[in-house]
Amino acid sequence: MNLFWMILKNELRATWRQAFAWLTPFLFFALIIFLFPIALGSNFILLKQITPAIIWIAALLAILLSLNSLFQKEADEGYLENWLLSPHSLTFIISCKLFSHWLIYVFPLILISPLLGFLLHLSAQEEGVLIITLLLGTPVLTLFGAIGSALTIGIRGHGLLLPILIMPLYVPVLIFATGAMTLVNFNQSIASEIAILSALLLVSITFIPWLVGVALRIGVDQ
Amino acid sequence: MWHWLKQNFLPVKFFYQTSTMLLPWLIFLFVILFSYGMIAGLFFAPADYQQGDGFRIMYVHVPSCFLAMGIYFVMAVSAFLTLVFRIKIAAICMSCSAPIGAWFTFLALVTGSIWGKPMWGTWWIWDARLTSVLILLFLYLGFIALQSVIYSTRARERAGALIALVGAINLPIIHYSVIWWNTLHQGPSISKFATPSIAPAMLYPLLAMIAAFFIFYFIILFIRMQNKILRAI
């Protein structure tokens, strides 16, 4: 547990000292959502229909953007080899790192999403479902992305490779999250969607940090 | 036992000799099955009562779909063997399978689209199975893209194996989530072997074509693998 707090504190402090790194995905998320009403003209009925899709796609892209820097600092400064050699479990270190990454780069998006939803005329009920699906879904996206990030760690100048590798795996989360938002519009039960999202989350939390460890060993090899 | 197997049957040299021996037989078998399937399917099978002669594209479409999924399965198994047992030949098989699988997935999409135009009235529809095959194509292309930018052979093989395995584990989840999302596709005709909903005169050429396509895959795979082995030496 000590190790967990240590990693979290270090990450938070490092982020605090260069605030713009933390703000980039956040601003990116807000700007994409802001561009949609402009691109759609004054078609507010259409806008209301596609709001769940807009917010989810924007969150997905913002997460992909933040993933490029997930292990970059560690790889550049040699922490990665330290992790691989350290007596602590690599899976545990990676879990801590991924949790702090999610907390720093993704959690702010969830915090601001009710405000953006309000600007896009979501009802209170939809706002609630939006926050629940984001809380359940974004960790899965971050975890899957971490595999790609670890594998492409030694590859320079191929910034688009990571999204190409990872985006097909994002389909289930996107389907169930936006599905829940559509169902709540028709006042139907969303219990099954939420259950499946939770199942995806639990399975990914259990297995993916270990897989990321395997991927990091391969990535460091390159 | 395992050690004996690894010593005698898994070295690259053993594969090279066996495949050289097998290739003429495979080509012979392929020519027979393919010509039977083509001639019987295109000329002798009765026309469908609903779709007329248009259903005959099935003889290319269904085998391509089988291969699109079958090759990914082969890749996943070889990825497992690469990652866990570090078998050299499995890694070669995996990276040589990917482009073939991508082409057959593409072929399945194109023939399906050509079949869909007269039957459904549209080239493309966001139906569950079409969408999951499209995602399969993206998985293949992602794998190939990753392979093409890593220069160290060992890292390339292991990174590819990991991403192929993650894709294979996710594929059923993606497939069923897409079915949940939307479906329109006609049910599979020949998976129900107890009571096939397809006439025998249509079925036998189809089975022959599926077998012929699989043999074709192995012919191309063996030739590609032999080339890759020769280039590495």
Coordinates of all heavy atoms in Angstrom, one line a residue, chain B residues 163-226:
Chain B
I163 N -0.3 -8.9 -29.4 CA -1.5 -8.1 -29.9 C -2.5 -9.1 -30.6 O -3.7 -8.9 -30.5 CB -1.1 -6.9 -30.9 CG1 -2.1 -5.8 -30.8 CG2 -0.8 -7.4 -32.3 CD1 -2.1 -5.1 -29.6
A164 N -2.0 -10.1 -31.3 CA -2.8 -11.1 -31.9 C -3.7 -11.9 -30.8 O -4.9 -12.1 -31.0 CB -2.0 -12.1 -32.7
L165 N -3.0 -12.2 -29.7 CA -3.8 -12.9 -28.6 C -4.8 -12.0 -28.0 O -6.0 -12.4 -27.8 CB -2.8 -13.3 -27.6 CG -2.3 -14.8 -27.7 CD1 -1.5 -15.1 -26.4 CD2 -3.4 -15.7 -27.8
V166 N -4.4 -10.7 -27.8 CA -5.4 -9.8 -27.2 C -6.6 -9.7 -28.1 O -7.8 -9.7 -27.7 CB -4.8 -8.4 -26.9 CG1 -5.8 -7.4 -26.5 CG2 -3.8 -8.6 -25.8
G167 N -6.3 -9.5 -29.4 CA -7.4 -9.4 -30.4 C -8.3 -10.7 -30.4 O -9.5 -10.6 -30.5
A168 N -7.6 -11.9 -30.4 CA -8.4 -13.1 -30.4 C -9.3 -13.3 -29.2 O -10.4 -13.7 -29.3 CB -7.4 -14.3 -30.5
I169 N -8.8 -12.8 -28.0 CA -9.6 -12.9 -26.8 C -10.8 -12.0 -26.9 O -11.9 -12.2 -26.5 CB -8.8 -12.6 -25.6 CG1 -7.8 -13.7 -25.4 CG2 -9.7 -12.5 -24.3 CD1 -6.7 -13.4 -24.4
N170 N -10.5 -10.8 -27.5 CA -11.6 -9.8 -27.6 C -12.6 -10.0 -28.7 O -13.7 -9.5 -28.7 CB -10.9 -8.4 -27.9 CG -10.7 -7.7 -26.6 OD1 -11.7 -7.1 -26.1 ND2 -9.5 -7.8 -26.1
L171 N -12.2 -10.8 -29.7 CA -13.0 -11.0 -30.9 C -14.4 -11.5 -30.6 O -15.4 -10.9 -31.0 CB -12.3 -11.9 -31.9 CG -12.6 -11.6 -33.4 CD1 -12.4 -10.1 -33.6 CD2 -11.8 -12.4 -34.3
P172 N -14.6 -12.5 -29.7 CA -16.0 -13.0 -29.3 C -16.7 -11.9 -28.6 O -17.9 -11.7 -28.9 CB -15.7 -14.1 -28.4 CG -14.3 -14.6 -28.6 CD -13.6 -13.4 -29.1
I173 N -16.1 -11.1 -27.8 CA -16.8 -10.0 -27.0 C -17.2 -9.0 -28.0 O -18.4 -8.5 -28.0 CB -15.8 -9.4 -26.0 CG1 -15.3 -10.4 -25.0 CG2 -16.5 -8.2 -25.3 CD1 -14.3 -9.9 -24.0
I174 N -16.4 -8.6 -29.0 CA -16.7 -7.6 -30.0 C -17.9 -8.2 -30.8 O -18.9 -7.5 -31.0 CB -15.5 -7.3 -30.9 CG1 -14.4 -6.6 -30.1 CG2 -16.0 -6.4 -32.1 CD1 -13.2 -6.4 -30.9
H175 N -17.8 -9.5 -31.2 CA -18.8 -10.0 -32.1 C -20.2 -10.0 -31.4 O -21.2 -9.5 -32.0 CB -18.4 -11.5 -32.4 CG -19.4 -12.2 -33.3 ND1 -19.5 -11.8 -34.6 CD2 -20.3 -13.1 -33.1 CE1 -20.5 -12.5 -35.2 NE2 -20.9 -13.4 -34.3
Y176 N -20.2 -10.4 -30.1 CA -21.6 -10.5 -29.5 C -22.1 -9.1 -29.1 O -23.3 -8.9 -29.1 CB -21.5 -11.4 -28.3 CG -21.5 -12.8 -28.7 CD1 -20.4 -13.6 -28.6 CD2 -22.6 -13.4 -29.3 CE1 -20.4 -14.9 -29.1 CE2 -22.6 -14.7 -29.8 CZ -21.5 -15.4 -29.7 OH -21.5 -16.7 -30.2
S177 N -21.1 -8.2 -28.8 CA -21.6 -6.8 -28.6 C -22.2 -6.2 -29.8 O -23.2 -5.4 -29.8 CB -20.5 -6.0 -28.0 OG -19.5 -5.8 -28.9
V178 N -21.6 -6.5 -31.0 CA -22.1 -6.0 -32.2 C -23.4 -6.6 -32.6 O -24.3 -5.9 -33.1 CB -21.1 -6.1 -33.3 CG1 -21.6 -5.8 -34.7 CG2 -19.8 -5.3 -33.1
I179 N -23.6 -7.9 -32.2 CA -24.9 -8.5 -32.5 C -26.0 -7.8 -31.6 O -27.1 -7.5 -32.0 CB -24.8 -10.0 -32.1 CG1 -24.1 -10.7 -33.2 CG2 -26.3 -10.6 -32.0 CD1 -24.0 -12.2 -33.0
W180 N -25.6 -7.5 -30.4 CA -26.5 -6.8 -29.4 C -26.9 -5.5 -30.0 O -28.1 -5.1 -29.9 CB -25.7 -6.6 -28.1 CG -26.5 -6.0 -27.0 CD1 -27.0 -4.7 -27.0 CD2 -26.8 -6.5 -25.8 NE1 -27.6 -4.4 -25.8 CE2 -27.5 -5.6 -25.0 CE3 -26.6 -7.8 -25.2 CZ2 -27.9 -5.8 -23.7 CZ3 -27.0 -8.0 -23.9 CH2 -27.7 -7.0 -23.2
W181 N -25.9 -4.9 -30.7 CA -26.1 -3.5 -31.2 C -27.1 -3.6 -32.4 O -28.1 -2.7 -32.5 CB -24.8 -3.1 -31.7 CG -24.7 -1.8 -32.5 CD1 -25.1 -0.6 -32.0 CD2 -24.2 -1.6 -33.8 NE1 -24.8 0.3 -33.0 CE2 -24.3 -0.3 -34.1 CE3 -23.6 -2.5 -34.7 CZ2 -23.9 0.2 -35.3 CZ3 -23.2 -2.0 -35.9 CH2 -23.3 -0.7 -36.2
N182 N -27.0 -4.5 -33.3 CA -27.8 -4.5 -34.5 C -27.7 -5.8 -35.3 O -26.5 -6.2 -35.6 CB -27.3 -3.3 -35.4 CG -28.3 -3.0 -36.5 OD1 -29.4 -3.6 -36.6 ND2 -28.0 -2.0 -37.3
T183 N -28.8 -6.4 -35.8 CA -28.6 -7.5 -36.7 C -29.7 -7.6 -37.7 O -30.8 -7.2 -37.5 CB -28.4 -8.8 -36.0 OG1 -27.8 -9.7 -36.9 CG2 -29.7 -9.4 -35.4
L184 N -29.3 -8.1 -38.9 CA -30.2 -8.2 -40.0 C -29.8 -9.4 -40.9 O -30.6 -9.9 -41.7 CB -30.0 -6.9 -40.9 CG -30.8 -6.8 -42.2 CD1 -32.2 -6.2 -41.9 CD2 -30.0 -5.9 -43.2
H185 N -28.6 -9.9 -40.7 CA -28.0 -10.9 -41.6 C -28.8 -12.2 -41.6 O -29.4 -12.6 -40.6 CB -26.6 -11.2 -41.1 CG -25.6 -11.7 -42.1 ND1 -25.7 -12.9 -42.7 CD2 -24.6 -11.0 -42.8 CE1 -24.7 -13.0 -43.6 NE2 -24.1 -11.9 -43.7
Q186 N -28.8 -12.9 -42.7 CA -29.5 -14.2 -42.7 C -28.7 -15.2 -41.9 O -27.5 -15.1 -41.8 CB -29.7 -14.7 -44.2 CG -28.4 -15.2 -44.8 CD -28.5 -15.5 -46.3 OE1 -29.2 -14.7 -47.0 NE2 -28.0 -16.6 -46.7
G187 N -29.5 -16.1 -41.2 CA -28.8 -17.1 -40.3 C -27.8 -18.0 -41.1 O -28.0 -18.1 -42.3
P188 N -26.8 -18.5 -40.4 CA -25.9 -19.4 -41.1 C -26.6 -20.6 -41.7 O -27.5 -21.2 -41.0 CB -24.9 -19.8 -40.0 CG -25.5 -19.5 -38.8 CD -26.5 -18.4 -39.0
S189 N -26.3 -21.0 -42.9 CA -27.0 -22.1 -43.5 C -26.4 -23.5 -43.2 O -27.1 -24.5 -43.3 CB -27.0 -21.9 -45.0 OG -27.5 -20.7 -45.4
I190 N -25.1 -23.6 -43.0 CA -24.5 -24.9 -42.9 C -23.9 -25.2 -41.5 O -23.3 -26.2 -41.3 CB -23.4 -25.2 -44.0 CG1 -22.3 -24.1 -43.8 CG2 -24.1 -25.2 -45.3 CD1 -21.1 -24.5 -44.6
S191 N -24.1 -24.3 -40.5 CA -23.5 -24.6 -39.2 C -24.4 -25.7 -38.5 O -23.9 -26.4 -37.7 CB -23.3 -23.4 -38.4 OG -24.6 -22.8 -38.1
K192 N -25.7 -25.7 -38.9 CA -26.6 -26.7 -38.3 C -26.4 -28.0 -39.1 O -27.2 -28.3 -40.0 CB -28.0 -26.2 -38.3 CG -28.2 -24.9 -37.7 CD -29.6 -24.3 -38.0 CE -29.7 -23.7 -39.3 NZ -31.0 -23.2 -39.6
F193 N -25.5 -28.8 -38.7 CA -25.2 -30.0 -39.5 C -26.3 -31.1 -39.4 O -26.5 -31.9 -40.2 CB -23.8 -30.6 -39.2 CG -22.7 -30.0 -40.0 CD1 -21.8 -29.2 -39.4 CD2 -22.7 -30.2 -41.3 CE1 -20.8 -28.5 -40.1 CE2 -21.7 -29.6 -42.1 CZ -20.8 -28.8 -41.5
A194 N -27.0 -31.1 -38.2 CA -28.1 -32.1 -38.1 C -29.2 -31.9 -39.1 O -29.5 -32.8 -39.8 CB -28.7 -32.0 -36.7
T195 N -29.7 -30.7 -39.2 CA -30.7 -30.5 -40.2 C -30.3 -29.2 -41.1 O -30.7 -28.1 -40.8 CB -32.1 -30.1 -39.6 OG1 -31.9 -29.1 -38.6 CG2 -32.7 -31.3 -38.9
P196 N -29.4 -29.5 -42.0 CA -29.0 -28.3 -42.8 C -30.1 -27.7 -43.6 O -30.9 -28.4 -44.2 CB -27.9 -28.9 -43.8 CG -27.8 -30.3 -43.4 CD -28.9 -30.7 -42.6
S197 N -30.2 -26.4 -43.6 CA -31.3 -25.7 -44.3 C -30.8 -25.4 -45.7 O -31.1 -24.3 -46.3 CB -31.7 -24.5 -43.6 OG -30.6 -23.6 -43.3
I198 N -30.1 -26.3 -46.3 CA -29.6 -26.1 -47.7 C -29.6 -27.5 -48.4 O -29.3 -28.5 -47.8 CB -28.1 -25.5 -47.6 CG1 -27.6 -25.3 -49.0 CG2 -27.2 -26.4 -46.8 CD1 -26.3 -24.5 -49.0
A199 N -30.0 -27.5 -49.7 CA -30.1 -28.7 -50.4 C -28.8 -29.4 -50.6 O -27.8 -28.6 -50.8 CB -30.8 -28.4 -51.7
P200 N -28.7 -30.7 -50.6 CA -27.4 -31.4 -50.8 C -26.7 -31.0 -52.1 O -25.5 -30.8 -52.1 CB -27.7 -32.9 -50.9 CG -29.0 -33.0 -50.1 CD -29.8 -31.7 -50.3
A201 N -27.5 -30.8 -53.2 CA -26.8 -30.4 -54.5 C -26.1 -29.0 -54.4 O -25.2 -28.8 -55.1 CB -27.9 -30.3 -55.6
M202 N -26.6 -28.2 -53.5 CA -25.9 -26.9 -53.2 C -24.8 -27.1 -52.2 O -23.8 -26.4 -52.3 CB -26.9 -25.9 -52.7 CG -28.0 -25.4 -53.7 SD -29.0 -24.2 -52.8 CE -30.2 -23.8 -54.0
L203 N -25.0 -28.0 -51.3 CA -24.1 -28.1 -50.1 C -22.8 -28.7 -50.5 O -21.7 -28.2 -50.1 CB -24.8 -29.0 -49.0 CG -23.9 -29.2 -47.8 CD1 -23.7 -27.9 -47.1 CD2 -24.6 -30.2 -46.8
Y204 N -22.8 -29.8 -51.3 CA -21.5 -30.5 -51.6 C -20.5 -29.6 -52.3 O -19.3 -29.6 -51.9 CB -21.8 -31.8 -52.3 CG -22.5 -32.8 -51.4 CD1 -23.5 -33.6 -51.9 CD2 -22.2 -32.9 -50.1 CE1 -24.2 -34.5 -51.1 CE2 -22.8 -33.8 -49.3 CZ -23.9 -34.6 -49.8 OH -24.5 -35.4 -49.0
P205 N -20.9 -28.9 -53.4 CA -19.9 -27.9 -54.0 C -19.4 -26.9 -53.0 O -18.2 -26.6 -53.0 CB -20.8 -27.3 -55.1 CG -21.9 -28.2 -55.3 CD -22.2 -28.9 -54.1
L206 N -20.3 -26.5 -52.0 CA -19.9 -25.5 -51.1 C -18.8 -26.1 -50.1 O -17.8 -25.4 -49.9 CB -21.1 -25.0 -50.3 CG -20.8 -23.9 -49.2 CD1 -20.2 -22.7 -49.9 CD2 -22.0 -23.5 -48.5
L207 N -19.1 -27.3 -49.7 CA -18.1 -27.9 -48.8 C -16.8 -28.1 -49.5 O -15.7 -27.9 -49.0 CB -18.6 -29.3 -48.3 CG -19.8 -29.2 -47.3 CD1 -20.2 -30.6 -46.9 CD2 -19.4 -28.3 -46.1
A208 N -16.8 -28.5 -50.8 CA -15.6 -28.7 -51.6 C -14.9 -27.4 -51.8 O -13.7 -27.3 -51.7 CB -16.0 -29.2 -53.0
M209 N -15.6 -26.3 -52.0 CA -15.0 -25.0 -52.1 C -14.3 -24.5 -50.8 O -13.2 -24.0 -50.8 CB -16.0 -23.9 -52.5 CG -16.4 -24.0 -54.0 SD -15.0 -23.8 -55.1 CE -14.9 -22.0 -55.2
I210 N -15.0 -24.8 -49.7 CA -14.4 -24.4 -48.4 C -13.1 -25.2 -48.2 O -12.1 -24.6 -47.9 CB -15.4 -24.7 -47.2 CG1 -16.6 -23.8 -47.3 CG2 -14.7 -24.6 -45.9 CD1 -17.7 -24.1 -46.3
A211 N -13.1 -26.5 -48.5 CA -11.9 -27.3 -48.4 C -10.8 -26.8 -49.3 O -9.7 -26.6 -48.9 CB -12.2 -28.8 -48.7
A212 N -11.2 -26.5 -50.6 CA -10.3 -26.0 -51.5 C -9.6 -24.6 -51.1 O -8.4 -24.5 -51.2 CB -11.0 -25.8 -52.9
F213 N -10.5 -23.8 -50.5 CA -9.9 -22.5 -50.0 C -8.9 -22.7 -48.9 O -7.9 -22.1 -48.9 CB -11.1 -21.6 -49.6 CG -11.6 -20.6 -50.6 CD1 -12.0 -21.2 -51.8 CD2 -11.6 -19.3 -50.4 CE1 -12.5 -20.3 -52.8 CE2 -12.1 -18.4 -51.4 CZ -12.5 -18.9 -52.6
F214 N -9.3 -23.6 -48.0 CA -8.3 -23.9 -46.9 C -7.0 -24.4 -47.4 O -5.9 -24.0 -47.0 CB -8.9 -24.8 -45.8 CG -9.6 -24.1 -44.7 CD1 -11.0 -23.8 -44.8 CD2 -8.9 -23.6 -43.7 CE1 -11.6 -23.1 -43.8 CE2 -9.5 -22.9 -42.6 CZ -10.9 -22.7 -42.7
I215 N -7.1 -25.4 -48.4 CA -5.9 -25.9 -48.9 C -5.1 -24.8 -49.6 O -3.9 -24.8 -49.5 CB -6.2 -27.1 -49.9 CG1 -6.8 -28.2 -49.1 CG2 -5.0 -27.6 -50.6 CD1 -7.4 -29.3 -49.9
F216 N -5.8 -23.9 -50.3 CA -5.1 -22.8 -51.0 C -4.4 -22.0 -50.0 O -3.2 -21.6 -50.2 CB -6.2 -22.0 -51.7 CG -5.6 -20.8 -52.4 CD1 -4.9 -20.9 -53.6 CD2 -5.8 -19.5 -51.9 CE1 -4.3 -19.8 -54.2 CE2 -5.3 -18.4 -52.5 CZ -4.5 -18.6 -53.7
Y217 N -5.0 -21.7 -48.8 CA -4.4 -21.0 -47.8 C -3.1 -21.7 -47.3 O -2.0 -21.0 -47.2 CB -5.3 -20.8 -46.6 CG -4.6 -20.5 -45.3 CD1 -3.9 -19.4 -45.1 CD2 -4.8 -21.4 -44.2 CE1 -3.3 -19.1 -43.9 CE2 -4.2 -21.1 -43.0 CZ -3.4 -20.0 -42.8 OH -2.8 -19.7 -41.6
F218 N -3.1 -23.0 -47.2 CA -1.9 -23.7 -46.7 C -0.8 -23.7 -47.8 O 0.3 -23.5 -47.4 CB -2.3 -25.1 -46.3 CG -2.9 -25.2 -44.9 CD1 -4.2 -25.6 -44.7 CD2 -2.2 -24.7 -43.8 CE1 -4.8 -25.6 -43.5 CE2 -2.7 -24.8 -42.5 CZ -4.0 -25.2 -42.4
I219 N -1.2 -23.7 -49.1 CA -0.2 -23.7 -50.1 C 0.5 -22.3 -50.0 O 1.7 -22.3 -50.0 CB -0.9 -23.8 -51.5 CG1 -1.5 -25.3 -51.6 CG2 0.1 -23.6 -52.6 CD1 -2.3 -25.4 -52.9
I220 N -0.3 -21.2 -50.0 CA 0.3 -19.9 -50.0 C 1.1 -19.7 -48.7 O 2.3 -19.2 -48.7 CB -0.8 -18.8 -50.1 CG1 -1.6 -19.0 -51.4 CG2 -0.2 -17.4 -50.0 CD1 -0.8 -18.7 -52.6
L221 N 0.6 -20.2 -47.6 CA 1.3 -20.1 -46.3 C 2.6 -20.8 -46.4 O 3.7 -20.2 -46.0 CB 0.4 -20.6 -45.2 CG 1.0 -20.6 -43.8 CD1 1.2 -19.2 -43.3 CD2 0.2 -21.4 -42.8
F222 N 2.6 -22.0 -46.9 CA 3.9 -22.8 -46.9 C 4.9 -22.1 -47.8 O 6.1 -22.0 -47.5 CB 3.7 -24.2 -47.4 CG 3.0 -25.1 -46.4 CD1 2.5 -26.3 -46.7 CD2 2.9 -24.6 -45.1 CE1 2.0 -27.2 -45.8 CE2 2.3 -25.5 -44.1 CZ 1.8 -26.7 -44.5
I223 N 4.5 -21.6 -49.0 CA 5.4 -20.9 -49.9 C 6.0 -19.7 -49.2 O 7.2 -19.4 -49.2 CB 4.7 -20.6 -51.2 CG1 4.4 -21.9 -51.9 CG2 5.6 -19.7 -52.1 CD1 3.5 -21.6 -53.2
R224 N 5.1 -18.9 -48.6 CA 5.5 -17.7 -47.9 C 6.5 -18.0 -46.8 O 7.5 -17.3 -46.6 CB 4.3 -16.9 -47.3 CG 3.5 -16.2 -48.3 CD 2.4 -15.4 -47.7 NE 3.0 -14.3 -46.9 CZ 3.0 -13.0 -47.3 NH1 2.5 -12.7 -48.5 NH2 3.5 -12.1 -46.6
M225 N 6.2 -19.0 -46.0 CA 7.0 -19.4 -44.9 C 8.4 -19.9 -45.4 O 9.4 -19.5 -44.8 CB 6.4 -20.5 -44.0 CG 5.3 -20.0 -43.1 SD 4.3 -21.3 -42.3 CE 5.5 -21.8 -41.1
Q226 N 8.4 -20.6 -46.5 CA 9.7 -21.1 -47.0 C 10.5 -19.9 -47.5 O 11.7 -19.8 -47.2 CB 9.4 -22.0 -48.2 CG 8.9 -23.4 -47.7 CD 8.8 -24.3 -48.9 OE1 8.8 -24.0 -50.0 NE2 8.6 -25.6 -48.6

